[in-house]
Amino acid sequence: MSDYMSSRFSSLTPYTPGEQPKDKKYIKLNTNENPYPPSQGVIDAIGSEQLESLNLYPDPTCSSLKKVLSEKLGVGQENIFCSNGSDEALDFAVMCFGEKGVVFPDITYGFYKVFCDYSGYSWSTIPLKEDFTIDPSDYCDLNKLIIIANPNAPSGLALSKDAIEEIVRTNSKGVVIVDEAYIDFGGESALPLINKYDNILITRTFSKSYSMAGGRVGYAVGNPALIADLLTIKYSTNPYNIDRLNLAAATQSIIDQEYYDKCTEKIKKTREKTKEELKKLGFEVIDTQTNFVFAKTDKVYGKDLYLRLKEKGILIRYFPGERTGEFIRVTVGTDPDMDSFIIAIKEILEEK
Ligand code: PMP
């Protein structure tokens, strides 16, 4: 750290993104990316017309994207905030609504606490139940900013819309953020609740079900007053938060919904097959609703499995910690990717 770093940031522990090693070609099952490429329409949308316009700033209002999203979601454009990845929407939401303190589960997306620390807000966690589920009653009447990933990560387990509603209804003095990064792969969206409550904000991403992790586009949906607050932060930091090429790409991907629905169906099928294969090998497999599988075997610890798989050219994630250390989290890739993964797992277990 330099001698010039502002003291309010000097003790910040930043988020560590999933590894992206360049030493050889890996089967990458570690960062929940989509194994399928964007649609041809999206590739064409980043065509010469957009490239030749790179001398011009992009549309700061993201109007093309808001238009297709509002039609798809059945909400007004004033209900939508477009962001640079959903991480940006989450970060801005914590800035806007986290002053009274922030609460989230003890096992969830690791970035939430970093957003809180960066904003200088206090945060606390509520333990998941023994089976990794969330007990909604733990979150009632807190009246702080609550963040629930639904489905949750890395468990992959989802809460019902009714359970989310109970949390939103009993926290009228605090905002509830529902992080729906994985909702297209399963679970029930809380979207209908935005017309009923003014304290719910839903965040979503193009990184997973729209094959655009490299494009960095996300969005938040909520009451227009909440959206206006997010815009205050955007126009105070980076008004052109989505670049011209990715704005065109994200807009086209909503138009090409049919293609993405097909990819999602394929991923869900592969996920179920992978779950079954792992169970046959004696793994305990959590009933994930996402594009990743969270599973453990009593034969090999999570970190050891990760290391052995890496030697075999397959990247996955493990999560050090008392309750998560035995587990591995494996992104659902293509069928051939998952066949290679299962073969590698069999070999590792046979060696034991
Ligand atoms: N929420 C959850 C639960 C995630 O796992 C991720 C990314 N891994 C994000 C949000 C952020 O995604 P992005 O910024 O790519 O939209």
Side-chain angles (χ1 to χ4, degrees):
M1 188 190 311
S2 80
D3 292 342
Y4 307 101
M5 178 65 150
S6 301
S7 59
R8 60 181 281 229
F9 297 126
S10 58
S11 60
L12 201 59
T13 307
Y15 177 73
T16 312
E19 62 178 335
Q20 314 275 4
K22 302 277 179 289
D23 58 329
K24 62 176 182 186
K25 197 160 169 29
Y26 288 91
I27 296 179
K28 230 182 139 290
L29 307 176
N30 66 330
T31 45
N32 300 340
E33 290 144 326
N34 197 308
Y36 300 108
S39 68
Q40 189 56 46
V42 164
I43 294 164
D44 295 342
I46 310 179
S48 51
E49 191 187 325
Q50 290 300 336
L51 288 164
E52 281 163 18
S53 304
L54 277 179
N55 55 317
L56 303 175
Y57 283 108
D59 170 16
T61 68
C62 306
S63 61
S64 64
L65 182 55
K66 280 197 299 195
K67 183 169 182 294
V68 291
L69 279 174
S70 83
E71 283 160 13
K72 172 187 155 69
L73 305 172
V75 301
Q77 292 191 34
E78 67 284 5
N79 294 108
I80 302 170
F81 174 79
C82 298
S83 57
N84 189 298
S86 58
D87 279 339
E88 187 184 58
L90 288 161
D91 183 21
F92 286 5
V94 168
M95 282 185 210
C96 289
F97 314 120
E99 197 175 24
K100 285 189 280 177
V102 188
V103 183
F104 41 85
D106 62 340
I107 300 170
T108 190
Y109 184 35
F111 220 148
Y112 301 150
K113 57 176 178 286
V114 183
F115 295 138
C116 298
D117 289 341
Y118 173 72
S119 279
Y121 298 152
S122 65
W123 53 271
S124 57
T125 58
I126 296 179
L128 294 180
K129 291 199 289 187
E130 200 59 43
D131 60 359
F132 289 104
T133 56
I134 290 172
D135 183 345
S137 67
D138 288 343
Y139 294 83
C140 291
D141 302 306
L142 301 180
N143 291 311
K144 293 185 176 183
L145 173 63
I146 295 169
I147 314 178
I148 305 274
N150 194 41
N152 197 11
S155 70
L157 292 171
L159 272 183
S160 69
K161 177 164 73 58
D162 289 349
I164 296 285
E165 180 161 11
E166 186 187 342
I167 298 171
V168 175
R169 185 176 47 77
T170 58
N171 283 285
S172 59
K173 296 204 168 58
V175 170
V176 178
I177 298 174
V178 186
D179 175 353
E180 293 191 350
Y182 299 101
I183 196 70
D184 291 334
F185 300 104
E188 191 186 6
S189 176
L191 196 67
L193 301 180
I194 69 141
N195 296 320
K196 200 166 163 192
Y197 299 93
D198 61 8
N199 64 326
I200 176 170
L201 188 78
I202 294 170
T203 59
R204 290 199 181 163
T205 181
F206 285 81
S207 299
K208 314 296 178 186
S209 53
Y210 289 96
S211 298
M212 264 191 63
R216 313 304 304 125
V217 184
Y219 60 96
V221 192
N223 179 279
L226 298 181
I227 301 301
D229 294 339
L230 297 176
L231 287 169
T232 299
I233 303 290
K234 161 172 151 143
Y235 283 102
S236 305
T237 51
N238 187 9
Y240 305 108
N241 61 338
I242 304 183
D243 69 72
R244 173 174 287 282
L245 304 182
N246 286 302
L247 202 50
T251 304
Q252 186 62 40
S253 64
I254 296 294
I255 297 167
D256 291 352
Q257 187 66 50
E258 218 175 295
Y259 167 82
Y260 292 100
D261 287 345
K262 279 190 194 139
C263 294
T264 297
E265 277 316 304
K266 271 200 276 190
I267 290 168
K268 284 163 76 173
K269 244 192 206 154
T270 310
R271 173 185 75 198
E272 294 310 309
K273 199 170 114 197
T274 306
K275 279 156 91 172
E276 287 315 306
E277 296 282 343
L278 284 172
K279 281 182 197 162
K280 275 192 230 152
L281 295 173
F283 276 76
E284 183 189 321
V285 184
I286 306 285
D287 189 24
T288 172
Q289 302 290 306
T290 56
N291 67 335
F292 55 83
V293 176
F294 196 52
K296 72 170 180 178
T297 165
D298 52 17
K299 297 198 182 70
V300 197
Y301 211 66
K303 183 173 181 186
D304 297 329
L305 253 184
Y306 154 82
L307 289 171
R308 291 292 292 114
L309 284 166
K310 190 170 177 184
E311 280 167 20
K312 291 174 177 288
I314 299 174
L315 286 179
I316 56 146
R317 281 278 309 260
Y318 69 98
F319 294 84
E322 205 184 312
R323 292 177 64 193
T324 52
E326 287 177 288
F327 282 84
I328 53 170
R329 190 199 71 188
V330 187
T331 305
V332 178
T334 60
D335 278 324
D337 288 344
M338 303 321 278
D339 290 345
S340 304
F341 163 73
I342 292 291
I343 289 168
I345 289 278
K346 276 185 191 154
E347 288 168 0
I348 295 165
L349 292 181
E350 273 160 23
E351 287 162 18
K352 284 274 151 186

